[in-house]
Amino acid sequence: MEEQHHPQPKPNSINASESDPFLLNYTTSDLRTASEFLATWLPFLSRDLCTRCTQSLSDRIQSIDPGEVPQNNSPNEQIDAEDNCDTHSLGSWKDGAEVNTSVETPSQRICWADMAQEDDEFGEEENSNNGVTVVVGDSNDTSDVGTVVAEKPTLPREQREYIRFMNVRRQKDFICFERVNGKLVNILEGLELHTGIFSAAEQKRIVSHVASLQEMGKRGELKERTFSAPQKWMRGKGRQTIQFGCCYNYAVDRDGNPPGILPHSIVDPIPDLFKVIIRRLIKWHVLPPTCVPDSCIVNIYEEGDCIPPHIDNHDFVRPFCTVSFLSECNIVFGSNLKIVGPGDFDGSIAIPLPVGSVLVLNGNGADVAKHCVPAVPSRRISITFRRMDESRRPFGYVPEPDLQGIQPLAYEEVEQEKKSGGNRGGRHMRRHRDRRGGGRNDAMGFASRNDRFSEHRDSNHSTPRYGSRWSRKPGS
């Protein structure tokens, strides 16, 4: 009789999402997001685990993704990897415990807010069936028997907002000394950089809305001075703008009007979505409740566009802020910025603005140092939110009712942080030689020594790198 050979079963070859009753309640997209999220946090989750437990956890996380099949070690490899699980040696991850290399950390971090649920204020819920029991059955089956799928668990909105709020990174200790009027001054005092305010989905929704407003402006559907699209007659001269709440004049215009708010010019009111952004900025402690923005300007950059050195007009009170979208760029600060060429500027320090970040300008950072944006390497959108000085508001101005009485969120951790005066983002310092060399002779500290602060950006505790001088050459 011919001997029959039966293949040995591979217990880990079946994806958990295909067999686990708990995972059957979730969509493929949900499972993939969960797998990527947990893979990102694997170094933390396995920190005190032995090698074998770390491997098991890695395999379990990988098996959540419906599109992945866990890789199996040979029996010998499994035996070699076994440790005494009762020891739980501290720092096993740091000590080089090997994990399944097929689990790849996504290039863009998945934040908990994206995985749990989007903020209600930024549009309809991602899952239209949220909170509703769904009955699934065979469409060809005439019987009334169906499979009842459990409700998808979600966190309460207040808890989701709390989680996101507590994960915002806030950099408030920018330093760059220059000699101003014979005195050494930290020209970046009052500058703040907040990251994690807007999720990727929220950023996408905002950018889409800006594109719609831009098309309306091109079709002449916005009010007189709302939309501006100058001809790009040279490098750096083509940035389009959309103004809401007031019309701001950058320089003396053809009618002889000086720079500042034009009292008789008509623009559209702040769009509803931008009001949602303003409420987020106040509630999440980015801007104070005493300085709720009542105007904003959208800057739409194409490659090569820039903003020349300037200090924002005092028709707007301090602080004010700029939100960055689509691509990262540098903003350059210095008490004496120099124009090197079209779109090229030379200053004391360059600060990268990550996508989705909010830069707050106040104190010396707003009034002593000039700032500029060199020619951008790719398309970019920024929205600057400012509050008008009450004496400079245009004629016929009416306050927005839904922007009144906004108060910041009150959490015990926030109050303790304010009392301690600490930053929520650590900082490492490291010297870098400036690519152009040299430095300002009248500056002290990091600018004069061609130093910059630097930190790994893929860390949750990251802060951007700072350059002592910045100038972008064409084609660079």
Side-chain angles (χ1 to χ4, degrees):
M1 183 175 181
E2 186 176 353
E3 183 179 0
Q4 295 183 1
H5 296 278
H6 299 282
Q8 294 296 324
K10 297 181 180 181
N12 290 333
S13 63
I14 299 178
N15 197 291
S17 63
E18 300 174 359
S19 58
D20 194 299
F22 177 79
L23 299 182
L24 293 177
N25 295 328
Y26 295 86
T27 66
T28 300
S29 177
D30 290 336
L31 294 175
R32 181 167 291 110
T33 301
S35 178
E36 292 176 348
F37 176 82
L38 293 172
T40 302
W41 282 83
L42 183 60
F44 173 80
L45 296 175
S46 61
R47 181 177 298 164
D48 298 333
L49 302 182
C50 66
T51 304
R52 182 184 180 188
C53 293
T54 297
Q55 183 68 48
S56 298
L57 179 60
S58 174
D59 291 341
R60 179 64 58 87
I61 291 174
Q62 183 189 1
S63 70
I64 296 175
D65 188 344
E68 294 289 340
V69 177
Q71 303 294 324
N72 297 295
N73 294 330
S74 64
N76 291 336
E77 290 175 336
Q78 293 179 0
I79 295 174
D80 292 340
E82 290 184 3
D83 287 335
N84 183 358
C85 293
D86 294 331
T87 60
H88 293 289
S89 58
L90 293 176
S92 60
W93 179 267
K94 294 181 181 179
D95 294 338
E98 294 183 1
V99 295
N100 198 327
T101 56
S102 63
V103 179
E104 296 182 359
T105 300
S107 58
Q108 181 176 1
R109 287 187 174 275
I110 304 297
C111 69
W112 170 250
D114 288 333
M115 191 181 88
Q117 197 172 14
E118 290 300 331
D119 195 305
D120 300 347
E121 289 185 315
F122 275 76
E124 67 276 7
E125 296 291 338
E126 293 279 313
N127 183 1
S128 59
N129 290 325
N130 181 34
V132 178
T133 301
V134 181
V135 178
V136 180
D138 189 348
S139 59
N140 297 323
D141 189 356
T142 57
S143 67
D144 295 332
V145 179
T147 302
V148 179
V149 180
E151 295 183 8
K152 179 180 176 180
T154 58
L155 294 173
R157 176 176 171 181
E158 292 77 10
Q159 189 173 353
R160 298 197 312 271
E161 185 171 30
Y162 170 78
I163 292 172
R164 291 187 57 185
F165 172 75
M166 295 308 296
N167 278 283
V168 171
R169 313 311 304 172
R170 308 179 192 271
Q171 178 68 28
K172 301 182 180 181
D173 52 357
F174 293 92
I175 299 175
C176 180
F177 282 92
E178 287 190 15
R179 192 172 297 278
V180 179
N181 297 327
K183 297 182 179 180
L184 287 173
V185 176
N186 178 16
I187 62 170
L188 301 184
E189 178 272 325
L191 209 64
E192 300 179 7
L193 185 65
H194 302 250
T195 55
I197 300 293
F198 306 104
S199 70
E202 290 168 347
Q203 293 178 46
K204 182 178 179 180
R205 192 170 292 130
I206 294 168
V207 169
S208 177
H209 189 61
V210 169
S212 299
L213 293 170
Q214 184 182 20
E215 290 302 314
M216 292 175 62
K218 292 179 179 179
R219 294 193 299 264
E221 298 174 3
L222 300 177
K223 292 183 179 178
E224 181 184 358
R225 299 293 295 269
T226 301
F227 179 72
S228 173
Q231 290 186 345
K232 191 168 185 176
W233 55 276
M234 66 176 295
R235 184 173 185 264
K237 300 291 185 179
R239 175 173 45 90
Q240 297 184 8
T241 61
I242 312 175
Q243 303 193 59
F244 297 103
C246 72
C247 179
Y248 173 74
N249 199 22
Y250 288 93
V252 178
D253 59 18
R254 298 175 182 176
D255 299 327
N257 295 312
I261 297 174
L262 299 179
H264 299 285
S265 295
I266 300 175
V267 298
D268 286 88
I270 298 176
D272 289 339
L273 182 61
F274 289 7
K275 294 178 185 178
V276 175
I277 298 175
I278 291 173
R279 288 194 289 269
R280 171 75 60 83
L281 296 174
I282 303 299
K283 291 174 64 178
W284 287 23
H285 298 246
V286 178
L287 292 175
T290 55
C291 197
V292 178
D294 52 17
S295 69
C296 69
I297 179 169
V298 181
N299 289 288
I300 304 172
Y301 301 76
E302 298 298 336
E303 181 180 352
D305 289 340
C306 68
I307 289 184
H310 67 283
I311 289 178
D312 282 53
N313 195 289
H314 280 81
D315 284 0
F316 301 99
V317 299
R318 274 55 170 159
F320 56 92
C321 71
T322 294
V323 191
S324 298
F325 300 101
L326 286 183
S327 65
E328 179 176 303
C329 76
N330 282 350
I331 183 169
V332 180
F333 286 87
S335 60
N336 185 25
L337 297 179
K338 297 178 181 179
I339 300 176
V340 179
D344 297 330
F345 310 110
D346 188 15
S348 298
I349 191 166
I351 301 177
L353 300 178
V355 176
S357 65
V358 184
L359 181 71
V360 178
L361 291 92
N362 199 10
N364 292 344
D367 296 328
V368 174
K370 293 182 179 180
H371 60 274
C372 63
V373 176
V376 297
S378 58
R379 191 166 190 266
R380 174 181 185 256
I381 291 175
S382 70
I383 308 178
T384 298
F385 293 93
R386 299 180 289 200
R387 181 176 181 84
M388 295 179 280
D389 186 298
E390 293 184 5
S391 65
R392 301 297 300 167
R393 286 172 173 166
F395 294 116
Y397 168 81
V398 178
E400 298 281 357
D402 45 356
L403 291 180
Q404 308 305 309
I406 307 174
Q407 293 299 319
L409 296 175
Y411 293 127
E412 182 179 354
E413 292 89 341
V414 179
E415 298 304 320
Q416 292 177 351
E417 181 182 325
K418 286 183 177 180
K419 292 179 181 179
S420 64
N423 285 333
R424 299 196 63 237
R427 183 176 69 184
H428 304 291
M429 290 182 287
R430 183 172 67 203
R431 288 193 178 189
H432 284 269
R433 289 297 301 172
D434 184 78
R435 62 181 176 181
R436 292 187 57 186
R440 293 180 53 84
N441 294 328
D442 58 344
M444 186 191 80
F446 308 103
S448 63
R449 295 195 303 266
N450 291 319
D451 294 347
R452 66 176 75 174
F453 298 139
S454 178
E455 188 163 332
H456 302 290
R457 285 203 206 154
D458 58 353
S459 167
N460 276 344
H461 297 274
S462 66
T463 57
R465 297 188 292 268
Y466 310 110
S468 58
R469 299 180 64 164
W470 177 261
S471 178
R472 184 184 296 277
K473 296 300 182 184
S476 61

